[in-house]
Amino acid sequence: MSWLKSLHIRPRGSPPTPSNQQPSPPIPPRPSANPLPSTVDNSDTYPDNTTLLQTFEWHTPSQPPPTGSTHSPTSHYALLTRLLPSLPSLGISTIWLPPGCKSNTVGSNGYDCYDLWDLGEFDQKYSRATKWGSWKELADLIRLAGKVGVEVMWDAVLNHKTAGDRVEECWAVEVEGHDRRLEKGEPRKMECWVKYDFPGRQGKYSQKSWGSEDFSGTDWDQRTSTNGIFKIVDDPATYPKPPTRQSSGGISRFARGKPPPPPVRPGRNWAQDVDDLHGNYDFLMFSNVAYTSPSVRDDTFAWGEWMLRSTGVQGFRLDAVQHISYAFIRDWVAHVQGCSRALRGREALIVGEIWTNEVYRITKWLDTVGQGVKCFDSPLLYNFSRISQDVTSGSKNADLRTIKRDSLLAIRPEAALTVVGNHDTQAGQASYTPMATELKMLWYAFTLLRAESSPCVFWGDLYGTHGPLAEGPACLNMKGRTLLPSLMLARRLYAYGPQTEYFEDAAVIGWTRAGGKGREGCAVVLSIGKNEVEHCVGMQIGMKGETWIDLLGVDRKVIIDEKGCGEFGVVGRGAAVYVREQAEDAEASTTTTWRGLLIKKHDGRGRDGWSEPSQRPTDARPETRQSRRRADPGLWCGPARRDNGLDKSRDHGSIWADTKPCMPKAPSCRKGVDDTSNAFGTRAFRLPEQQMSSPSARGIAARDDQCRTASQGSTLEGHLTSAHAVVV
């Protein structure tokens, strides 16, 4: 074993607050919804770690039921319903559903919202169901989530509407794209698609119809067939004219200092309590909702309460909150939290999306809204991308010690929801964030195993993505097996207790979780050093003489010395997670799942693995004695993609079931194991009674019982049948 020899440099301090940070506007005092935890924890044990799963990516396929039907086995809601029973075994506590309100087109992902009150129930916009499924399928999904103990977070798109039912003549003025406070020319009458009657719903749930008085801007003038950013204003004849010249005159602000803000037009305008990017960032797209309208406020308040009471969702992800009046969001959150306390006795999880690399923009929103809301930590994701690009380019600036620099996790961890990727940052999207595939395992180890982190796992990283720039699952090892489920399971089992950091080298960092209170701890090492070179960090954990083993597939063992320290190794550009060899589940983990990652109980009918669901024919491969025998070890690496009716392996070194297995035979395939089929069409393995004496054998059998999924033989089960067989 070779050892890392480098200078030990103390971690640099946190950088100063940006000089352009502006103080948050004063807000009325309100009691803290989530008070800071006491420094003394007198509880008997640490609570279970929570993990959020985003259940979609931008190109997720879904075939919802036709208008005359309520259910389809190929809809995404149906797929999630089959997958749901297996998620708690991975440590998933909450699922983030896509925006399931009726949108502009049948195949839309839902971010072009048309009617908040239509969840796939009414025949509107050319279909009854949404892309993701029908409202009855949604009800089935949420009902099952409650039974298995998984909470549901709804993606709420409150900033805008699209695809109005009729045009309405109104006054509007075009504004500059780079500064929405600057008007281009004079106001004129336009024809805008801002009349919403919702004829298919016919007033059910809400009687409100929408018009130009409920919007502050739009992006299309039907009269002139012109696209732009148009601010809806009052009739200029009813107000005095503002100064005729609002532009900066083409003079650089760097030559004369920052210019004063332009005068504000009297009457209707953009919301003033929004992010100040582009001067005023109220407008984003489509028809921009004006929350100065009392009827709009009342309708949106009622919708939030209706979602909690009628659908059973327990939280909201608020899309594009930097474009919505902060005061309105604060009031809406207060209303929703009051309803949640009345219904469930506790508050809802509410997460805001502010996509920026400037953390002060996020903290400004958090300070204004308050009440325990969280935000996605986009600055941390940008740090992952920065370090990743430095490593791949060979830059000397690559430094793991800067991983939390200027992030929300560094300055306000209780409000941070950590992410490595999502539907906006995946390849091909406008907010695409480049990130070396080989380093994603480091970033997921960081988000999943840190004490201060509340992680969100991206569907595309767990199952792969579709689309023109499709990618396979993240965190692949040298054999093409994904390590992400293993990291998720490590969080569920071993990431507990006080945390000690060892951030002393730019190329390799580590930390320990001490465990305690009946929970196990772990030691984690990350490296961006040279490939195939062993790097080590000396860390203190455990007791003298204990053996600690790496869970991520390498036969590494560390013996704790008389000082309670050990040298924990990791291969360059990799991650290692160590636990006590005597820890509960550790032996079974390293000999089965942690070495083989996923143990797939095939039914012998296809080349299914831990991959994105694909539309495979049910007769993809007939069962033979050989296929049935070889299906037992189970994980066949490489997600499959359905292109023009053909299943194709991805071009990143995938391995198919009909070539060779990715791992040796699992313990459940040993001689004497009873191989039976369960009620769901998947195979259950039980050890004979005489083999149940060892702790690892008892653990394997118990976890087989725990992790079986309710798959029903659908052609979409390419990944579902693997999820139930994850053995911790």
Side-chain angles (χ1 to χ4, degrees):
M1 180 182 294
S2 60
W3 306 89
L4 179 66
K5 298 180 180 179
S6 59
L7 295 176
H8 292 274
I9 305 174
R10 293 184 179 275
R12 285 177 281 186
S14 300
T17 303
S19 58
N20 59 345
Q21 180 170 348
Q22 300 178 357
S24 301
I27 60 175
R30 62 177 69 251
S32 175
N34 289 320
L36 293 176
S38 171
T39 56
V40 179
D41 186 359
N42 295 319
S43 59
D44 294 333
T45 185
Y46 293 110
D48 292 339
N49 285 327
T50 60
T51 303
L52 172 66
L53 173 65
Q54 179 181 357
T55 60
F56 62 100
E57 49 100 3
W58 192 256
H59 300 287
T60 297
S62 178
Q63 297 178 6
T67 300
S69 179
T70 59
H71 290 77
S72 167
T74 56
S75 74
H76 194 56
Y77 284 158
L79 180 68
L80 293 178
T81 302
R82 294 189 294 272
L83 176 62
L84 197 58
S86 66
L87 295 183
S89 65
L90 279 174
I92 299 299
S93 56
T94 306
I95 57 173
W96 159 15
L97 293 183
C101 299
K102 188 62 60 68
S103 57
N104 182 17
T105 59
V106 177
S108 167
N109 285 335
Y111 290 102
D112 51 345
C113 179
Y114 165 72
D115 186 3
L116 287 174
W117 297 89
D118 185 357
L119 307 182
E121 182 179 359
F122 305 101
D123 189 0
Q124 299 186 112
K125 295 301 174 184
Y126 317 109
S127 74
R128 184 179 300 276
T130 68
K131 169 187 173 176
W132 310 109
S134 71
W135 68 281
K136 288 191 176 180
E137 290 178 310
L138 174 62
D140 294 341
L141 172 61
I142 296 177
R143 188 181 305 111
L144 180 60
K147 291 181 180 179
V148 301
V150 175
E151 295 197 345
V152 177
M153 184 173 77
W154 186 261
D155 201 329
V157 182
L158 306 181
N159 176 74
H160 51 265
K161 285 187 177 296
T162 186
D165 298 310
R166 292 179 290 130
V167 297
E168 180 182 354
E169 185 180 77
C170 58
W171 284 94
V173 59
E174 188 173 4
V175 300
E176 298 281 1
H178 70 278
D179 190 337
R180 279 79 185 275
R181 301 170 300 176
L182 302 179
E183 299 178 0
K184 298 168 63 175
E186 296 296 325
R188 68 177 190 271
K189 287 187 176 181
M190 300 182 186
E191 292 181 352
C192 305
W193 291 90
V194 291
K195 289 295 289 184
Y196 290 79
D197 303 315
F198 313 114
R201 184 159 50 82
Q202 297 182 352
K204 187 176 181 180
Y205 304 130
S206 171
Q207 297 288 331
K208 178 173 173 53
S209 58
W210 294 58
S212 61
E213 67 278 3
D214 300 317
F215 299 95
S216 59
T218 189
D219 61 357
W220 181 258
D221 176 16
Q222 184 64 35
R223 176 168 292 173
T224 60
S225 298
T226 304
N227 181 258
I229 303 177
F230 304 109
K231 179 172 63 176
I232 297 177
V233 298
D234 290 312
D235 185 346
T238 61
Y239 287 95
K241 292 184 178 180
T244 56
R245 187 65 175 173
Q246 296 190 40
S247 67
S248 61
I251 303 175
S252 172
R253 67 181 181 88
F254 298 104
R256 53 177 172 73
K258 188 175 181 179
V264 178
R265 174 180 290 276
R268 299 172 61 185
N269 209 320
W270 303 124
Q272 300 302 301
D273 55 339
V274 293
D275 193 274
D276 61 1
L277 191 65
H278 300 307
N280 181 294
Y281 216 6
D282 186 10
F283 183 86
L284 175 63
M285 62 177 68
F286 304 127
S287 296
N288 195 72
V289 177
Y291 284 103
T292 53
S293 168
S295 62
V296 169
R297 290 173 60 90
D298 293 343
D299 192 68
T300 312
F301 276 44
W303 175 81
E305 181 175 352
W306 174 75
M307 287 294 294
L308 292 177
R309 294 183 182 276
S310 299
T311 68
V313 301
Q314 294 104 346
F316 294 93
R317 180 256 190 190
L318 302 181
D319 182 65
V321 290
Q322 74 268 44
H323 305 280
I324 307 173
S325 165
Y326 290 8
F328 168 76
I329 292 294
R330 182 189 63 206
D331 296 341
W332 186 86
V333 168
H335 180 74
V336 167
Q337 295 293 30
C339 295
S340 181
R341 287 191 294 268
L343 287 171
R344 304 191 302 143
R346 57 193 178 96
E347 294 184 337
L349 172 64
I350 297 182
V351 185
E353 181 220 20
I354 301 179
W355 213 243
T356 178
N357 61 351
E358 298 174 300
V359 69
Y360 80 91
R361 297 185 184 276
I362 300 177
T363 56
K364 181 178 179 180
W365 184 83
L366 290 170
D367 290 339
T368 305
V369 177
Q371 305 170 94
V373 295
K374 296 178 179 290
C375 263
F376 293 104
D377 195 349
S378 52
L380 180 67
L381 184 145
Y382 285 125
N383 283 347
F384 297 155
S385 176
R386 169 180 54 81
I387 297 174
S388 178
Q389 293 182 78
D390 285 342
V391 171
T392 54
S393 65
S395 171
K396 295 181 179 180
N397 294 325
D399 192 340
L400 276 176
R401 296 168 300 181
T402 66
I403 194 169
K404 292 201 300 180
R405 187 175 67 189
D406 294 338
S407 69
L408 191 61
L409 192 68
I411 64 174
R412 202 169 297 184
E414 72 279 0
L417 202 67
T418 55
V419 291
V420 177
N422 68 10
H423 62 287
D424 286 324
T425 66
Q426 70 184 83
Q429 293 299 94
S431 298
Y432 167 62
T433 306
M435 198 174 294
T437 303
E438 63 178 336
L439 296 180
K440 277 193 174 183
M441 181 164 60
L442 280 69
W443 315 141
Y444 268 110
F446 187 85
T447 59
L448 286 166
L449 302 178
R450 298 282 296 180
E452 71 274 29
S453 177
S454 298
C456 175
V457 175
F458 176 40
W459 178 274
D461 287 335
L462 190 58
Y463 298 113
T465 63
H466 287 71
L469 299 175
E471 297 178 339
C475 307
L476 299 180
N477 66 1
M478 296 300 294
K479 295 183 179 180
R481 296 192 294 258
T482 176
L483 294 170
L484 182 51
S486 301
L487 291 170
M488 296 165 65
L489 289 163
R491 172 175 175 80
R492 181 172 73 88
L493 292 173
Y494 306 116
Y496 296 95
Q499 177 174 282
T500 304
E501 292 182 347
Y502 297 84
F503 285 20
E504 298 180 349
D505 190 274
V508 57
I509 63 173
W511 66 91
T512 60
R513 302 291 302 278
K517 297 185 178 181
R519 297 286 196 176
E520 290 293 338
C522 62
V524 186
V525 190
L526 311 180
S527 172
I528 55 173
K530 293 182 179 179
N531 283 321
E532 301 181 359
V533 175
E534 187 87 5
H535 309 279
C536 290
V537 177
M539 298 188 290
Q540 184 174 14
I541 192 171
M543 305 290 289
K544 176 184 175 181
E546 286 183 343
T547 300
W548 287 62
I549 55 178
D550 182 8
L551 300 178
L552 296 185
V554 179
D555 290 325
R556 297 192 189 96
K557 292 188 177 183
V558 176
I559 307 298
I560 305 301
D561 62 21
E562 63 277 2
K563 297 181 180 179
C565 297
E567 292 287 338
F568 295 89
V570 62
V571 175
R573 302 194 181 186
V577 182
Y578 291 84
V579 301
R580 289 190 312 117
E581 188 175 33
Q582 299 81 8
E584 183 181 359
D585 298 310
E587 180 184 354
S589 297
T590 54
T591 57
T592 58
T593 303
W594 296 108
R595 298 283 306 270
L597 303 179
L598 297 173
I599 299 178
K600 175 77 180 312
K601 273 70 171 181
H602 283 272
D603 59 5
R605 301 194 64 180
R607 299 172 290 197
D608 295 331
W610 191 265
S611 65
E612 173 70 17
S614 58
Q615 305 286 342
R616 299 191 183 93
T618 56
D619 57 347
R621 185 161 61 102
E623 180 176 322
T624 64
R625 174 181 295 182
Q626 182 181 14
S627 68
R628 186 174 181 86
R629 176 179 60 81
R630 296 180 60 197
D632 294 344
L635 176 63
W636 312 116
C637 304
R641 177 158 54 107
R642 180 77 171 169
D643 287 337
N644 299 324
L646 299 176
D647 282 337
K648 299 180 180 180
S649 64
R650 301 197 192 277
D651 55 0
H652 53 72
S654 58
I655 303 173
W656 285 98
D658 49 8
T659 58
K660 65 176 183 178
C662 295
M663 56 171 286
K665 276 186 175 294
S668 56
C669 303
R670 296 171 182 164
K671 182 179 179 180
V673 173
D674 177 25
D675 176 10
T676 59
S677 297
N678 62 19
F680 303 116
T682 55
R683 300 173 66 192
F685 293 86
R686 291 188 180 276
L687 294 171
E689 292 298 329
Q690 61 269 25
Q691 296 186 22
M692 293 295 291
S693 57
S694 69
S696 60
R698 289 195 300 270
I700 293 170
R703 285 184 297 276
D704 275 336
D705 286 338
Q706 177 185 3
C707 299
R708 286 195 293 271
T709 190
S711 56
Q712 300 176 359
S714 166
T715 58
L716 287 176
E717 305 306 313
H719 68 296
L720 299 181
T721 53
S722 65
H724 81 283
V726 175
V727 181
V728 184

